[in-house]
Amino acid sequence: MTDKQAGPLSGVRILDFTWAAAGPQGTLLAGFLGAEVLKVESVRRLDLMRRGMSTLYEGFDNSPHLNDFNFNKLGIRLDLSKPEGQKLALSLVAVCDAVVDNFRPNVLERLGVGYNAMRRVNPSIILLSAANGGSTGPESKFAGYAGIFNALGGMGYLTGYQDGPPTMLRDSVDLRVGSALAFAIVASLYHRRQTGQGQFVDMASREVVSCLVGDQILEYTMNGHNPMRQGNRDPIMAPHNVYRCKDNDSWVSIAVGTEDEWRALCRVLGRAELASDPRFADAYARKKNEAELDTLITQWTKQRTPHEATLLLQKASVAAMPSMSMDDLLADEHLQARGAYVTVQHPVLGKQTNVGVPWKLSRTPASIRRPGPLFGEHNPFVFGEILGLPKNDVERLTKAEVLS
């Protein structure tokens, strides 16, 4: 291709069968790091993101969400339900370093392109399969999306207010699962570089979420205490909350962890006497009287904007920051100064402002080098140049709806 590959994974090629959000997020991160990612779709199995998330889009190439999750990837159309499609898939495996899928377990095997078949054409291939419950166990065939991973993993039960139901977390859970997937890709590639050996990585999305609430599981196994939802509050720290400010739906987060910070907060509030008030004299007393403390703090924050409150508190070394809306984020001077946003030119969507890569590597920069692929955009390059198929064969396979 015309763009120069860069980044620490430059030279790595990944065959990507993932769709929706969690799987594409994992290969997106690998692509940021320089891997060449071949994204496989077909008319029979179109990526859900092509229709959009909060908004539905007509046409295959009009979804900003598909674009966001698939920067740098090369898009191909390949129907795995057809024998020639399966044969071509294995030909691609032969020239790749890793394969990633988020099918339900055994789908690849049923199509004749499972791990054993892959190893016959590429003995050192790495296959990473991410599914709701993993490839084994009594619930391995159950379907799931982010909200299900969240509920099964235990995070939903712990998230929300004390008097409310468990909270359905969605996109953020997908991104956590995708980040875990990217970590597994890099670890497997490192192992292969050290030993020459590929491997099969079986990842259960619900277990990724459970790994993030390990301290709560430990609380139960050690103390028999089943942790519950606490809203914005911390089990120990007080104050620890989000406080209403004077503008409509504007908020500031404040957290106090030490006695020095508490005394500083009292001075900023203009209530130095609170530091020695028996109701708030130490961390235990403040936690016990947290509701009363929150009322006093809100009386102060409601007279200020989030940024006014933040500047006064940060000047006194108290941890405080506005709860940022999307317009706040885009206008934020700190993020602007660090180049957190990039402008990407998409052939259909035009100029798009997007969040950039999450790392700044000094020697091997991660980058966005191209927009997300149009549907089947790179069929000529992948099948013609990478696999070396004659143009007539590509045209025949397209007419036969193998490359469809």
Side-chain angles (χ1 to χ4, degrees):
M1 301 304 292
T2 56
D3 66 327
K4 185 179 179 181
Q5 296 291 317
L9 295 186
S10 177
V12 170
R13 181 178 289 150
I14 296 172
L15 188 59
D16 181 7
F17 291 114
T18 67
W19 69 340
Q25 171 70 8
T27 51
L28 172 75
L29 296 176
F32 283 162
L33 293 170
E36 182 182 61
V37 180
L38 313 182
K39 179 178 179 61
V40 182
E41 295 178 89
S42 69
V43 171
R44 293 170 60 94
R45 188 178 184 275
L46 200 68
D47 191 325
L48 292 174
M49 284 293 171
R50 287 202 181 273
R51 72 183 185 194
M53 292 177 69
S54 54
T55 303
L56 297 180
Y57 300 96
E58 293 186 0
F60 292 158
D61 300 318
N62 293 290
S63 168
H65 303 109
L66 188 286
N67 184 42
D68 277 358
F69 277 97
N70 294 283
F71 289 131
N72 297 336
K73 300 178 185 178
L74 306 180
I76 61 173
R77 298 167 62 162
L78 181 62
D79 189 343
L80 293 177
S81 70
K82 299 180 184 296
E84 283 191 285
Q86 297 157 11
K87 184 178 177 182
L88 284 170
L90 289 175
S91 296
L92 288 170
V93 170
V95 296
C96 284
D97 300 286
V99 180
V100 184
D101 81 274
N102 58 352
F103 292 119
R104 294 191 197 187
N106 298 318
V107 168
L108 287 175
E109 284 77 7
R110 193 173 70 241
L111 294 170
V113 292
Y115 184 50
N116 289 333
M118 291 182 185
R119 290 191 66 196
R120 284 194 285 273
V121 298
N122 185 346
S124 64
I125 193 69
I126 296 164
L127 172 61
L128 302 101
S129 290
N132 174 36
S135 69
T136 60
E139 298 179 358
S140 61
K141 294 184 179 179
F142 287 5
Y145 288 102
I148 305 302
F149 312 155
N150 170 64
L152 283 171
M155 188 177 292
Y157 190 82
L158 294 168
T159 305
Y161 290 99
Q162 288 178 319
D163 58 352
T167 298
M168 176 77 89
L169 301 177
R170 299 183 300 173
D171 303 351
S172 64
V173 170
D174 273 330
L175 301 186
R176 291 173 176 124
V177 172
S179 297
L181 183 60
F183 188 91
I185 292 172
V186 173
S188 301
L189 288 169
Y190 179 77
H191 174 77
R192 198 183 71 158
R193 182 174 180 179
Q194 298 296 102
T195 67
Q197 298 174 341
Q199 60 183 304
F200 172 59
V201 180
D202 173 13
M203 196 177 97
S205 300
R206 61 178 292 182
E207 291 172 18
V208 171
V209 177
S210 292
C211 286
L212 300 175
V213 297
D215 59 327
Q216 304 298 304
I217 293 173
L218 187 65
E219 170 73 13
Y220 180 75
T221 56
M222 290 188 66
N223 302 319
H225 171 240
N226 197 12
M228 295 297 293
R229 298 172 288 284
Q230 300 187 59
N232 295 320
R233 292 179 171 171
D234 182 81
I236 297 174
M237 296 168 67
H240 188 285
N241 210 334
V242 178
Y243 299 91
R244 183 178 292 279
C245 294
K246 72 176 182 181
D247 296 330
N248 181 44
D249 196 23
S250 63
W251 307 81
V252 63
S253 296
I254 300 173
V256 168
T258 70
E259 293 304 310
D260 285 344
E261 292 170 0
W262 165 239
R263 286 189 287 272
L265 174 64
C266 294
R267 288 195 295 273
V268 174
L269 296 182
R271 301 289 305 273
E273 76 281 5
L274 293 176
S276 56
D277 188 316
R279 295 171 299 170
F280 314 121
D282 56 30
Y284 177 79
R286 290 194 291 276
K287 187 64 188 174
K288 187 177 179 181
N289 297 294
E290 191 169 15
E292 193 173 355
L293 180 55
D294 282 346
T295 299
L296 291 172
I297 294 173
T298 302
Q299 288 172 356
W300 182 83
T301 59
K302 286 184 70 174
Q303 300 175 44
R304 292 162 179 82
T305 68
H307 285 84
E308 290 170 347
T310 294
L311 289 174
L312 291 168
L313 291 166
Q314 286 286 353
K315 192 175 180 180
S317 297
V318 176
M321 274 293 171
S323 290
M324 306 283 272
S325 63
M326 295 307 102
D327 54 344
D328 290 333
L329 286 172
L330 279 173
D332 187 80
E333 292 182 359
H334 178 80
L335 294 176
Q336 292 284 357
R338 286 183 55 77
Y341 305 111
V342 296
T343 300
V344 178
Q345 181 71 40
H346 186 279
V348 175
L349 300 171
K351 283 187 179 180
Q352 301 278 296
T353 298
N354 301 93
V355 177
V357 299
W359 323 276
K360 298 188 184 306
L361 287 74
S362 63
R363 293 186 182 276
T364 54
S367 62
I368 296 176
R369 304 176 297 281
R370 63 168 65 244
L374 305 180
F375 185 45
E377 178 182 353
H378 300 101
N379 270 19
F381 173 74
V382 172
F383 294 107
E385 297 191 36
I386 293 181
L387 289 189
L389 295 183
K391 187 177 180 180
N392 289 345
D393 281 0
V394 174
E395 291 175 352
R396 177 185 62 78
L397 291 164
T398 301
K399 288 180 181 177
E401 299 184 345
V402 176
L403 307 184
S404 172

